[in-house]
């Protein structure tokens, strides 16, 4: 007889069954995200493109997570909350990163959304090299990740007090 394995005080649970696409997509309300994106991406066609990248493509769990995080941040950053909204700061273009095999035949271009840099510059302590590294980390990867990161930074920046005089 083999001894029972030690579990550090907790029971092993069977892995959760993945949710179906219909379960996840039932709570993703693109019209709600469209409203929160309007100040960041004024053009309706550009906004539809950004929405498709963030919640319309890619792994299902990322679509759901993007919707949840962006919606919660938008609620936290809504005017009328405990602190006044920080005014938008200057931003940088978000490059479209293509797989290496496509780079030679297609110009990468940029997304129709700017990454605000005010809060990032504060976080970098004014150091431009740090800022550039932060921008690269936030904008690298598939469109779903890069665009969600940019939107989250824009919403977080609204929550933070301005350090500008």
């Amino acid at each position: 007889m083999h001894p029972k394995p030690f579990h550090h005080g907790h029971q092993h649970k069977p892995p959760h069954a993945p949710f179906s696409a219909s379960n996840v997509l039932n709570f993703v309300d693109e019209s709600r995200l469209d409203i929160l994106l309007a100040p960041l991406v004024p053009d309706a066609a550009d906004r539809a493109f950004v929405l498709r990248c963030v919640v319309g493509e890619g792994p299902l769990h990322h679509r759901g997570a993007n919707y949840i995080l962006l919606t919660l941040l938008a609620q936290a950053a809504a005017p009328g909350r405990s602190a006044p909204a920080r005014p938008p700061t200057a931003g940088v273009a978000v490059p479209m990163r293509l797989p290496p095999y496509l780079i030679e035949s297609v110009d990468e271009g940029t997304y129709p959304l700017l990454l605000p840099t005010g809060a990032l510059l504060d976080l970098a302590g004014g150091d431009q090299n740090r800022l550039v590294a932060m921008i690269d980390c936030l904008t690298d990867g598939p469109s779903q990740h890069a665009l969600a990161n940019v939107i989250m930074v824009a919403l977080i920046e609204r929550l933070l007090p301005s350090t500008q005089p």
Side-chain angles (χ1 to χ4, degrees):
M1 185 186 299
H2 296 295
K4 291 184 180 180
F6 182 66
H7 294 293
H8 301 287
H10 64 275
Q11 298 290 325
H12 278 285
K13 295 179 182 174
H16 72 280
F19 288 103
S20 70
S22 62
N23 283 343
V24 173
L25 297 179
N26 277 337
F27 72 77
V28 173
D29 181 355
E30 287 190 27
S31 64
R32 190 171 187 174
L33 289 181
D34 185 67
I35 292 166
L36 85 87
L37 279 175
L40 302 172
V41 186
D43 181 79
D46 287 345
R47 201 166 49 252
F49 172 68
V50 170
L51 276 170
R52 182 172 52 86
C53 291
V54 173
V55 294
E57 295 181 358
L60 196 58
H61 64 282
H62 288 290
R63 293 191 234 174
N66 285 345
Y67 173 78
I68 293 163
L69 293 170
L70 295 174
T71 303
L72 290 174
L73 277 169
Q75 289 174 358
R81 301 294 277 186
S82 60
R86 176 182 180 147
T89 62
V92 296
V94 180
M96 289 184 180
R97 307 282 173 111
L98 298 175
Y101 67 90
L102 288 177
I103 291 175
E104 292 179 13
S105 61
V106 179
D107 288 332
E108 286 193 289
T110 59
Y111 291 105
L113 177 66
L114 296 177
L115 172 64
T117 56
L120 297 176
L121 188 58
D122 291 347
L123 183 60
D127 183 305
Q128 289 295 317
N129 288 329
R130 288 181 178 176
L131 176 64
V132 169
M134 288 178 180
I135 290 169
D136 190 58
C137 287
L138 290 166
T139 60
D140 195 16
S143 61
Q144 185 180 66
H145 295 291
L147 291 173
N149 289 345
V150 170
I151 297 164
M152 284 189 260
V153 168
L155 293 170
I156 290 167
E157 188 171 273
R158 289 185 195 168
L159 295 171
L160 298 172
S162 179
T163 60
Q164 307 302 317

